[in-house]
Amino acid sequence: MVTMHCKQILGITAIGVASLVIGILIGHFEITPAKPAWLQRMSKDGDPKYSHHLFKEIQAEEIRKNLQFFSSKPHIAGSTQDEEVLVSHIHKTWQASLHGAKIYNYTVLLSYPNASDPNYVSILSDDGTESDLSEKVEKILSPDQNDPTVVNPFNAYSPSGVIVGDLVYVNYGTVEDFHYLTRNLSLNLTGTVAIARYGKIFRGDKVKHGEIFGCAGMILYSDPADYVSGSLDRVFPVDWWLPGTGAQRGTLLQTNGDPRTPFYPSTSSAFYLDERDIELPKIPVTPIGYNDAAKYLSKMSGMEAPIQWQGTLNITYRVGPGLASPFEKSKIKLYVKSYNVQRSIKNVFGFIEGQYEPDRYVVLGNHRDAWVFGAIDPSSGTATMMELSRAMSQLLKEGWRPRRSILFCSWGAEEYGLIGSTEGVEEMGKVLGSRTVAYLNVDLSLAGNSTLRALATPILHKLLFAAAKKVENPNPDEVRAGRKTVYDTWVKNLPSSYDPNIPRVGDLGSGSDYSPFLQLLGVSAADVRYTYDQKYSLSSYPMYHSVYETMDLVSRIMDQGFKYHQAVARLWGEMALRLADDVVLNFDCVQYAETLKRIVMEAQRTYGPMLQEHRMSLDPVREAVEEFHQAAKSLQGRAEKINRENPLEVRKINDQLMQLERAFIDPLGITGSIYHRHVIYAPNRHNLYTASSFPGLAAAMFDIENDPNQERRWQQVEKEVSVIAFTIASAASTMQDTSSIGGVSGKY
């Protein structure tokens, strides 16, 4: 027993000595316990091999097959093809290959032409006979266009009506064009039928301007000056230029989403406004081809139109009003039998759940509906998105799991006024607004095959450039010239106006589904596509919204090997991977600050002298931008030095980066529109497609010298300067260290 007791004592002593030695060693060499494996994994950026695997997995041939399927039949919003056949295909595909999928239903107001009583234009003589009728359907130029479900040319939400009046040519229908007619030429446009060429501005703004200046109806056409380059003998099907029989469909809706449920989703419990109480166009409108437009424009009376109003039809463009001899007693007849109807539309979401931050979403979106076959808009984007989702599903099989969640969105009824995406954001705004890292949009992958074109908020510019530098150039001629990447050709063809060493990135207006994310939620967004050579002064790609936008056009003329589609898919995928897999978000708030400085300089050049005349200045804005710049540099510095092994610190920095864009949202809206709330970027008041920098100030200053109530207008200018300064200073406070609560008036 004594021996055993001694052994126990000796054992305890040995343990004590060993513990002491270990303690000394830990103290001397600062030995730290091994970090858990899960912490080590979540402290590292995603494995770069998956980027390589994704690029390899994205196949041009698969995109071609997708496009063949999606553009094989017309699929206008609300149709069986769009809401059942395509929705079912997308849902089943994502349900089987991703972590889940879901369909969201909305009952909305859509618009269609009367199939048995088509819209048209004619010349009506004083004895009641009609001549020179416009084509009621587009001429079939290849067998793949011959489908009984093709919807004839029309403008959505145009009221039905028969208008007879004198014809007046209003050029592009901009507010400046109407000012020229009414102020410079002293024309009274009341009761006239305006004919406007497509281009420059959103078609709905053309119609709104026509209403304001008293026109009774409007005809829209695509002039060859804006949709054809070179001889008219080279139009489709020989080349990709618009033939004279092509007519551009399109919505006239000025608001986003279902107009009967503003700011709320059109779900089963929705309260719907009566159609009489919503903002819809008030004058009948229809589109025609330029062959028909030439018949009416060539017969017009009045003075010759200014040189900048001249198109390239073989006629003398005159402003009117009315027709010349021997048609001086004749009028233009505008016959529109379109109607509005309630229909069901659907959004489809596919979901890849993140491993460490499943409550942070990287959202990728494309709309599904097309006016006709839509092989370019939107099916080139749809085909690309489906291939990207398939490629990512293959990565999942290899063991990849993104840090954050990835959400694929197929939007319905975009063409009618961003209806699906707006309804989706209205329904899920609380979730998407708090969880979305960024929204990456591809409306269409291919508007041409010359160079990349991108729109984005400044915080995403660095990410865009980095992704474009990784994507192989799809143009072999460019590769032989030494430009091996998408970025190389982009910077050559579209250099920035302020730095020729980087590409131009445009601002976001309201032309696609990024709008509700940016304007309602304040989510940073980007929109990318390949586009045409900018040497062509085109208003859009030539076949825009016509029956000729088919698989034949894309596969035979625009992208024979589908390499340009593949490049867009790779760029889109690389941006998504970096946002989903990097520990610290690849956001550049210093770039935002530098952009704001340039915007202020431009505003000073444009408005400075007039502001000074009224004892105002942009000094408060300039001071706020400087404060923003300092805060941005501080946040960027903290992000670069962050301890990646501290998940709470990482989350804090990422939240500050992610929330910055939200700080630019004014809940009261910009330029009188509650649909547009971003103080830095919002659509131009007179052109929904184009973004304005400091849009509230731009709207307040527009044509201010002709406002009879000068005091009221200048008070509005003063208010807008104040709002901009406050908003930028508030945004700066969100980037400060969290020990600072923020605010512009507080002092320590």
Side-chain angles (χ1 to χ4, degrees):
M1 292 294 293
V2 173
T3 303
M4 180 61 69
H5 183 67
C6 290
K7 288 181 179 178
Q8 287 176 338
I9 292 173
L10 289 172
I12 293 170
T13 303
I15 292 171
V17 171
S19 299
L20 178 62
V21 171
I22 292 171
I24 292 171
L25 289 172
I26 290 173
H28 182 72
F29 294 104
E30 297 183 353
I31 296 174
T32 57
K35 295 180 178 65
W38 62 265
L39 179 58
Q40 294 182 45
R41 288 194 300 270
M42 74 179 297
S43 302
K44 295 180 181 179
D45 291 337
D47 191 330
K49 74 177 183 181
Y50 289 117
S51 174
H52 174 73
H53 289 187
L54 183 69
F55 279 28
K56 187 176 180 180
E57 186 63 41
I58 293 171
Q59 298 296 314
E61 175 60 19
E62 293 299 317
I63 299 176
R64 187 198 68 77
K65 291 176 183 176
N66 289 341
L67 186 62
Q68 181 69 59
F69 171 75
F70 281 99
S71 65
S72 62
K73 291 183 176 296
H75 50 286
I76 194 169
S79 67
T80 300
Q81 180 69 13
D82 197 58
E83 310 299 347
E84 295 182 20
V85 176
L86 299 188
V87 163
S88 177
H89 172 81
I90 294 170
H91 179 256
K92 287 179 180 178
T93 300
W94 286 344
Q95 189 73 40
S97 61
L98 306 181
H99 290 155
K102 191 172 183 178
I103 298 172
Y104 296 86
N105 292 275
Y106 304 99
T107 303
V108 303
L109 188 71
L110 298 182
S111 173
Y112 301 96
N114 189 323
S116 61
D117 194 7
N119 304 336
Y120 71 91
V121 177
S122 69
I123 295 177
L124 184 66
S125 67
D126 55 350
D127 65 3
T129 59
E130 291 184 62
S131 63
D132 294 288
L133 273 69
S134 64
E135 295 293 337
K136 297 178 181 180
V137 300
E138 288 166 291
K139 185 178 179 180
I140 301 301
L141 298 179
S142 63
D144 58 348
Q145 300 151 17
N146 192 10
D147 189 296
T149 62
V150 168
V151 174
N152 292 332
F154 79 113
N155 289 117
Y157 302 107
S158 166
S160 178
V162 179
I163 303 297
V164 175
D166 287 326
L167 190 64
V168 59
Y169 174 53
V170 298
N171 195 27
Y172 290 108
T174 67
V175 69
E176 293 86 356
D177 292 336
F178 279 98
H179 284 164
Y180 175 79
L181 293 170
T182 56
R183 293 176 183 175
N184 296 46
L185 303 185
S186 301
L187 294 183
N188 181 358
L189 304 183
T190 302
T192 59
V193 176
I195 183 167
R197 53 174 167 161
Y198 272 123
K200 304 297 184 186
I201 68 171
F202 171 55
R203 70 186 74 79
D205 288 312
K206 300 173 190 283
V207 175
K208 178 184 70 176
H209 298 153
E211 290 177 5
I212 292 171
F213 287 89
C215 298
M218 183 173 284
I219 303 164
L220 298 172
Y221 81 101
S222 301
D223 197 283
D226 304 291
Y227 295 90
V228 180
S229 179
S231 170
L232 295 184
D233 295 334
R234 296 291 304 171
V235 300
F236 187 81
V238 177
D239 207 334
W240 77 315
W241 307 112
L242 181 71
T245 52
Q248 180 190 132
R249 298 151 183 79
T251 188
L252 305 177
L253 196 64
Q254 288 280 315
T255 55
N256 292 339
D258 184 1
R260 301 174 306 157
T261 60
F263 322 122
Y264 297 96
S266 297
T267 54
S268 58
S269 62
F271 170 77
Y272 290 93
L273 296 174
D274 190 279
E275 194 172 330
R276 294 170 299 182
D277 299 324
I278 61 179
E279 184 182 345
L280 294 175
K282 297 178 176 61
I283 62 175
V285 185
T286 197
I288 60 174
Y290 60 78
N291 284 355
D292 285 326
K295 296 188 294 190
Y296 313 124
L297 290 168
S298 64
K299 297 177 175 64
M300 290 186 66
S301 63
M303 66 168 286
E304 188 171 334
I307 185 65
Q308 61 270 28
W309 286 37
Q310 298 288 329
T312 54
L313 290 170
N314 189 26
I315 62 170
T316 299
Y317 289 76
R318 299 183 180 277
V319 297
L323 304 178
S325 178
F327 302 96
E328 65 269 21
K329 293 183 180 181
S330 299
K331 304 288 185 183
I332 287 291
K333 178 180 177 180
L334 175 60
Y335 186 90
V336 177
K337 290 297 179 181
S338 300
Y339 62 96
N340 300 332
V341 63
Q342 181 175 285
R343 289 281 176 88
S344 174
I345 66 159
K346 296 177 176 67
N347 294 335
V348 190
F349 286 10
F351 195 74
I352 298 175
E353 187 174 18
Q355 185 171 8
Y356 301 119
E357 298 183 68
D359 63 331
R360 290 292 179 261
Y361 304 156
V362 177
V363 184
L364 286 68
N366 158 265
H367 75 91
R368 186 184 61 255
D369 64 301
W371 289 114
V372 197
F373 298 98
I376 299 174
D377 181 8
S379 296
S380 65
T382 310
T384 299
M385 181 170 68
M386 297 307 293
E387 173 59 4
L388 178 56
S389 68
R390 187 199 65 80
M392 284 190 173
S393 75
Q394 292 302 113
L395 295 191
L396 291 173
K397 294 177 182 178
E398 294 177 17
W400 169 73
R401 183 82 177 273
R403 178 188 187 89
R404 303 177 185 92
S405 297
I406 296 176
L407 184 62
F408 291 96
C409 303
S410 173
W411 306 112
E414 185 269 358
E415 295 291 5
Y416 279 85
L418 317 183
I419 290 181
S421 56
T422 300
E423 297 306 309
V425 165
E426 287 173 346
E427 180 181 10
M428 292 170 283
K430 298 295 187 293
V431 172
L432 294 174
S434 63
R435 299 179 185 176
T436 303
V437 173
Y439 177 71
L440 307 178
N441 193 67
V442 173
D443 190 308
L444 48 107
S445 291
L446 191 77
N449 52 25
S450 173
T451 187
L452 187 73
R453 159 273 201 202
L455 312 175
T457 46
I459 206 166
L460 291 173
H461 288 191
K462 183 173 73 173
L463 176 64
L464 255 173
F465 296 161
K469 288 176 181 177
K470 290 190 67 173
V471 179
E472 180 183 346
N473 200 322
N475 187 330
D477 292 336
E478 288 290 290
V479 173
R480 283 190 288 270
R483 292 180 284 275
K484 297 182 179 180
T485 70
V486 165
Y487 182 90
D488 296 332
T489 297
W490 184 17
V491 73
K492 173 185 175 289
N493 290 346
L494 291 175
S496 168
S497 59
Y498 63 87
D499 183 353
N501 297 310
I502 62 174
R504 182 194 317 161
V505 181
D507 301 330
L508 293 165
S510 187
S512 192
D513 294 305
Y514 53 73
S515 184
F517 280 87
L518 179 64
Q519 295 297 333
L520 300 183
L521 303 180
V523 170
S524 299
D527 181 84
V528 298
R529 69 180 60 161
Y530 247 80
T531 193
Y532 47 82
D533 194 326
Q534 298 305 290
K535 72 181 181 183
Y536 300 120
S537 298
L538 303 176
S539 289
S540 71
Y541 64 89
M543 300 300 189
Y544 184 56
H545 291 180
S546 74
V547 75
Y548 307 118
E549 203 178 305
T550 62
M551 179 68 177
D552 173 62
L553 169 70
V554 175
S555 61
R556 180 171 59 87
I557 298 175
M558 296 180 67
D559 190 8
Q560 292 185 3
F562 282 79
K563 296 296 185 181
Y564 296 94
H565 286 78
Q566 184 182 47
V568 171
R570 288 171 170 171
L571 175 71
W572 202 5
E574 176 64 17
M575 291 182 70
L577 277 187
R578 295 284 59 79
L579 290 173
D581 276 350
D582 287 354
V583 174
V584 179
L585 292 174
N586 193 1
F587 281 0
D588 189 354
C589 46
V590 173
Q591 176 62 50
Y592 221 132
E594 293 170 352
T595 302
L596 288 174
K597 286 188 174 183
R598 287 192 293 272
I599 294 172
V600 172
M601 290 174 60
E602 181 60 33
Q604 179 63 34
R605 283 193 294 268
T606 306
Y607 308 126
M610 292 183 71
L611 291 172
Q612 189 173 8
E613 287 178 15
H614 289 80
R615 298 181 180 179
M616 298 180 195
S617 78
L618 294 174
D619 287 347
V621 177
R622 200 174 287 109
E623 293 168 5
V625 169
E626 183 55 39
E627 182 180 348
F628 185 98
H629 197 186
Q630 295 305 316
K633 288 191 292 185
S634 176
L635 176 57
Q636 209 77 44
R638 296 196 304 278
E640 292 169 1
K641 298 175 183 177
I642 194 171
N643 177 10
R644 291 173 172 236
E645 294 179 347
N646 184 337
L648 296 179
E649 189 67 20
V650 169
R651 186 61 169 247
K652 182 181 74 173
I653 289 293
N654 280 341
D655 279 358
Q656 285 186 280
L657 290 168
M658 191 179 90
Q659 294 294 331
L660 174 59
E661 202 81 60
R662 274 80 161 171
F664 292 120
I665 294 297
D666 186 338
L668 298 180
I670 307 297
T671 68
S673 171
I674 199 69
Y675 292 95
H676 305 125
R677 304 174 187 175
H678 200 287
V679 171
I680 310 303
Y681 298 108
N684 184 290
R685 186 176 182 179
H686 301 285
N687 179 12
L688 201 64
Y689 281 161
T690 303
S692 284
S693 303
F694 295 167
L697 178 62
M701 292 295 295
F702 180 80
D703 200 35
I704 193 170
E705 63 273 17
N706 290 303
D707 193 321
N709 192 335
Q710 288 287 295
E711 182 179 1
R712 177 183 62 92
R713 279 293 291 276
W714 282 104
Q715 284 179 345
Q716 183 64 30
V717 171
E718 189 174 15
K719 176 186 176 183
E720 294 297 340
V721 171
S722 173
V723 168
I724 294 168
F726 162 73
T727 302
I728 293 174
S730 294
S733 72
T734 70
M735 293 187 290
Q736 294 170 358
D737 190 89
T738 49
S739 60
S740 170
I741 302 173
V744 296
S745 62
K747 302 293 182 183
Y748 286 101

PDB file of all heavy atoms in Angstrom, residues 284-299:
ATOM      1  N   PRO A 284     -54.514  57.212 -78.845  1.00  0.00           N
ATOM      2  CA  PRO A 284     -54.204  55.985 -79.589  1.00  0.00           C
ATOM      3  C   PRO A 284     -52.841  56.073 -80.273  1.00  0.00           C
ATOM      4  O   PRO A 284     -52.447  57.129 -80.791  1.00  0.00           O
ATOM      5  CB  PRO A 284     -55.334  55.907 -80.621  1.00  0.00           C
ATOM      6  CG  PRO A 284     -56.448  56.708 -80.027  1.00  0.00           C
ATOM      7  CD  PRO A 284     -55.780  57.826 -79.294  1.00  0.00           C
ATOM      8  N   VAL A 285     -52.134  54.951 -80.279  1.00  0.00           N
ATOM      9  CA  VAL A 285     -50.774  54.884 -80.840  1.00  0.00           C
ATOM     10  C   VAL A 285     -50.607  53.542 -81.538  1.00  0.00           C
ATOM     11  O   VAL A 285     -51.113  52.522 -81.066  1.00  0.00           O
ATOM     12  CB  VAL A 285     -49.701  55.005 -79.735  1.00  0.00           C
ATOM     13  CG1 VAL A 285     -48.304  55.050 -80.345  1.00  0.00           C
ATOM     14  CG2 VAL A 285     -49.943  56.215 -78.849  1.00  0.00           C
ATOM     15  N   THR A 286     -49.888  53.538 -82.662  1.00  0.00           N
ATOM     16  CA  THR A 286     -49.522  52.270 -83.289  1.00  0.00           C
ATOM     17  C   THR A 286     -48.183  52.417 -83.995  1.00  0.00           C
ATOM     18  O   THR A 286     -47.841  53.503 -84.486  1.00  0.00           O
ATOM     19  CB  THR A 286     -50.591  51.792 -84.294  1.00  0.00           C
ATOM     20  OG1 THR A 286     -50.391  50.401 -84.573  1.00  0.00           O
ATOM     21  CG2 THR A 286     -50.552  52.577 -85.589  1.00  0.00           C
ATOM     22  N   PRO A 287     -47.382  51.322 -84.070  1.00  0.00           N
ATOM     23  CA  PRO A 287     -46.128  51.356 -84.834  1.00  0.00           C
ATOM     24  C   PRO A 287     -46.343  50.859 -86.256  1.00  0.00           C
ATOM     25  O   PRO A 287     -47.227  50.041 -86.512  1.00  0.00           O
ATOM     26  CB  PRO A 287     -45.242  50.388 -84.050  1.00  0.00           C
ATOM     27  CG  PRO A 287     -46.201  49.364 -83.525  1.00  0.00           C
ATOM     28  CD  PRO A 287     -47.519  50.079 -83.285  1.00  0.00           C
ATOM     29  N   ILE A 288     -45.515  51.343 -87.177  1.00  0.00           N
ATOM     30  CA  ILE A 288     -45.540  50.887 -88.567  1.00  0.00           C
ATOM     31  C   ILE A 288     -44.096  50.744 -89.048  1.00  0.00           C
ATOM     32  O   ILE A 288     -43.165  51.215 -88.402  1.00  0.00           O
ATOM     33  CB  ILE A 288     -46.307  51.855 -89.494  1.00  0.00           C
ATOM     34  CG1 ILE A 288     -45.657  53.242 -89.490  1.00  0.00           C
ATOM     35  CG2 ILE A 288     -47.785  51.946 -89.097  1.00  0.00           C
ATOM     36  CD1 ILE A 288     -46.271  54.224 -90.483  1.00  0.00           C
ATOM     37  N   GLY A 289     -43.904  50.094 -90.203  1.00  0.00           N
ATOM     38  CA  GLY A 289     -42.583  49.976 -90.806  1.00  0.00           C
ATOM     39  C   GLY A 289     -42.228  51.228 -91.594  1.00  0.00           C
ATOM     40  O   GLY A 289     -43.090  52.049 -91.930  1.00  0.00           O
ATOM     41  N   TYR A 290     -40.938  51.359 -91.938  1.00  0.00           N
ATOM     42  CA  TYR A 290     -40.541  52.593 -92.636  1.00  0.00           C
ATOM     43  C   TYR A 290     -40.983  52.612 -94.096  1.00  0.00           C
ATOM     44  O   TYR A 290     -41.081  53.691 -94.700  1.00  0.00           O
ATOM     45  CB  TYR A 290     -39.054  52.886 -92.476  1.00  0.00           C
ATOM     46  CG  TYR A 290     -38.068  51.859 -92.986  1.00  0.00           C
ATOM     47  CD1 TYR A 290     -37.771  51.741 -94.350  1.00  0.00           C
ATOM     48  CD2 TYR A 290     -37.358  51.057 -92.099  1.00  0.00           C
ATOM     49  CE1 TYR A 290     -36.830  50.838 -94.805  1.00  0.00           C
ATOM     50  CE2 TYR A 290     -36.410  50.144 -92.545  1.00  0.00           C
ATOM     51  CZ  TYR A 290     -36.144  50.040 -93.896  1.00  0.00           C
ATOM     52  OH  TYR A 290     -35.202  49.143 -94.352  1.00  0.00           O
ATOM     53  N   ASN A 291     -41.288  51.469 -94.705  1.00  0.00           N
ATOM     54  CA  ASN A 291     -41.875  51.502 -96.045  1.00  0.00           C
ATOM     55  C   ASN A 291     -43.216  52.236 -96.027  1.00  0.00           C
ATOM     56  O   ASN A 291     -43.520  53.045 -96.915  1.00  0.00           O
ATOM     57  CB  ASN A 291     -42.094  50.081 -96.572  1.00  0.00           C
ATOM     58  CG  ASN A 291     -40.805  49.424 -97.031  1.00  0.00           C
ATOM     59  OD1 ASN A 291     -39.756  50.049 -97.056  1.00  0.00           O
ATOM     60  ND2 ASN A 291     -40.881  48.145 -97.380  1.00  0.00           N
ATOM     61  N   ASP A 292     -44.030  51.939 -95.013  1.00  0.00           N
ATOM     62  CA  ASP A 292     -45.316  52.628 -94.881  1.00  0.00           C
ATOM     63  C   ASP A 292     -45.127  54.072 -94.459  1.00  0.00           C
ATOM     64  O   ASP A 292     -45.827  54.968 -94.951  1.00  0.00           O
ATOM     65  CB  ASP A 292     -46.194  51.899 -93.857  1.00  0.00           C
ATOM     66  CG  ASP A 292     -46.776  50.607 -94.404  1.00  0.00           C
ATOM     67  OD1 ASP A 292     -47.070  50.554 -95.608  1.00  0.00           O
ATOM     68  OD2 ASP A 292     -46.920  49.647 -93.621  1.00  0.00           O
ATOM     69  N   ALA A 293     -44.200  54.335 -93.552  1.00  0.00           N
ATOM     70  CA  ALA A 293     -43.974  55.711 -93.091  1.00  0.00           C
ATOM     71  C   ALA A 293     -43.616  56.616 -94.262  1.00  0.00           C
ATOM     72  O   ALA A 293     -44.052  57.777 -94.319  1.00  0.00           O
ATOM     73  CB  ALA A 293     -42.873  55.733 -92.043  1.00  0.00           C
ATOM     74  N   ALA A 294     -42.844  56.092 -95.209  1.00  0.00           N
ATOM     75  CA  ALA A 294     -42.437  56.901 -96.359  1.00  0.00           C
ATOM     76  C   ALA A 294     -43.646  57.360 -97.174  1.00  0.00           C
ATOM     77  O   ALA A 294     -43.645  58.456 -97.750  1.00  0.00           O
ATOM     78  CB  ALA A 294     -41.480  56.107 -97.246  1.00  0.00           C
ATOM     79  N   LYS A 295     -44.705  56.548 -97.220  1.00  0.00           N
ATOM     80  CA  LYS A 295     -45.897  56.911 -97.995  1.00  0.00           C
ATOM     81  C   LYS A 295     -46.563  58.160 -97.426  1.00  0.00           C
ATOM     82  O   LYS A 295     -47.102  58.984 -98.170  1.00  0.00           O
ATOM     83  CB  LYS A 295     -46.892  55.748 -98.011  1.00  0.00           C
ATOM     84  CG  LYS A 295     -46.383  54.504 -98.719  1.00  0.00           C
ATOM     85  CD  LYS A 295     -47.457  53.444 -98.881  1.00  0.00           C
ATOM     86  CE  LYS A 295     -47.922  52.869 -97.579  1.00  0.00           C
ATOM     87  NZ  LYS A 295     -48.790  51.674 -97.751  1.00  0.00           N
ATOM     88  N   TYR A 296     -46.531  58.302 -96.101  1.00  0.00           N
ATOM     89  CA  TYR A 296     -47.190  59.449 -95.467  1.00  0.00           C
ATOM     90  C   TYR A 296     -46.253  60.651 -95.378  1.00  0.00           C
ATOM     91  O   TYR A 296     -46.655  61.784 -95.666  1.00  0.00           O
ATOM     92  CB  TYR A 296     -47.690  59.055 -94.078  1.00  0.00           C
ATOM     93  CG  TYR A 296     -48.436  57.743 -94.084  1.00  0.00           C
ATOM     94  CD1 TYR A 296     -48.049  56.679 -93.263  1.00  0.00           C
ATOM     95  CD2 TYR A 296     -49.517  57.526 -94.944  1.00  0.00           C
ATOM     96  CE1 TYR A 296     -48.707  55.462 -93.289  1.00  0.00           C
ATOM     97  CE2 TYR A 296     -50.186  56.306 -94.982  1.00  0.00           C
ATOM     98  CZ  TYR A 296     -49.773  55.281 -94.155  1.00  0.00           C
ATOM     99  OH  TYR A 296     -50.424  54.074 -94.194  1.00  0.00           O
ATOM    100  N   LEU A 297     -45.011  60.410 -95.017  1.00  0.00           N
ATOM    101  CA  LEU A 297     -44.055  61.514 -94.877  1.00  0.00           C
ATOM    102  C   LEU A 297     -43.793  62.199 -96.224  1.00  0.00           C
ATOM    103  O   LEU A 297     -43.605  63.418 -96.286  1.00  0.00           O
ATOM    104  CB  LEU A 297     -42.736  60.990 -94.299  1.00  0.00           C
ATOM    105  CG  LEU A 297     -42.772  60.555 -92.829  1.00  0.00           C
ATOM    106  CD1 LEU A 297     -41.502  59.779 -92.473  1.00  0.00           C
ATOM    107  CD2 LEU A 297     -42.915  61.762 -91.908  1.00  0.00           C
ATOM    108  N   SER A 298     -43.787  61.410 -97.305  1.00  0.00           N
ATOM    109  CA  SER A 298     -43.490  61.979 -98.626  1.00  0.00           C
ATOM    110  C   SER A 298     -44.602  62.890 -99.135  1.00  0.00           C
ATOM    111  O   SER A 298     -44.389  63.699-100.050  1.00  0.00           O
ATOM    112  CB  SER A 298     -43.252  60.861 -99.640  1.00  0.00           C
ATOM    113  OG  SER A 298     -44.442  60.093 -99.818  1.00  0.00           O
ATOM    114  N   LYS A 299     -45.788  62.796 -98.556  1.00  0.00           N
ATOM    115  CA  LYS A 299     -46.937  63.586 -99.016  1.00  0.00           C
ATOM    116  C   LYS A 299     -47.222  64.796 -98.120  1.00  0.00           C
ATOM    117  O   LYS A 299     -48.221  65.480 -98.306  1.00  0.00           O
ATOM    118  CB  LYS A 299     -48.186  62.699 -99.082  1.00  0.00           C
ATOM    119  CG  LYS A 299     -48.085  61.552-100.091  1.00  0.00           C
ATOM    120  CD  LYS A 299     -49.334  60.675-100.058  1.00  0.00           C
ATOM    121  CE  LYS A 299     -49.298  59.608-101.147  1.00  0.00           C
ATOM    122  NZ  LYS A 299     -48.194  58.648-100.978  1.00  0.00           N
TER     123      LYS A 299
END
